[in-house]
């Protein structure tokens, strides 16, 4: 089961999660849509969640280039 963490201070996402076994980052957008991004080692998760990192910019610059799709949790 995915353990979602609420995100404050982001206009792009409201929650995030990481599954180290599958190396997937999960993102929940304000409209309730959930998305997964694959091929994300722990380093990518740490970069994505680093203090001061814009989640939206990281998604646009890095995660959208990885395999991804809508999560139907």
């Amino acid at each position: 089961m995915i353990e979602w963490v609420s995100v404050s201070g982001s206009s792009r996402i409201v929650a995030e999660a990481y599954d180290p076994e599958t190396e997937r980052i999960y993102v929940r957008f304000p409209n309730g849509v959930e998305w997964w991004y694959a091929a994300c080692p722990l380093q990518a998760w740490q970069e994505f969640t680093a203090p001061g990192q814009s989640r939206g910019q990281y998604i646009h610059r890095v995660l959208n280039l990885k395999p991804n799709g809508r999560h139907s949790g």
Side-chain angles (χ1 to χ4, degrees), residues 9-10 46-59 61:
S10 174
Q46 291 169 337
E47 290 171 356
F48 179 62
T49 58
Q53 172 64 55
S54 166
R55 305 299 204 268
Q57 288 179 9
Y58 194 86
I59 290 169
R61 193 177 69 250

Side-chain angles (χ1 to χ4, degrees), residues 24-55:
R24 283 189 177 189
I25 292 175
Y26 294 88
V27 174
R28 182 179 297 141
F29 295 98
N31 63 1
V33 172
E34 296 174 353
W35 213 259
W36 57 262
Y37 301 90
C40 295
L42 182 59
Q43 180 181 349
W45 171 246
Q46 291 169 337
E47 290 171 356
F48 179 62
T49 58
Q53 172 64 55
S54 166
R55 305 299 204 268

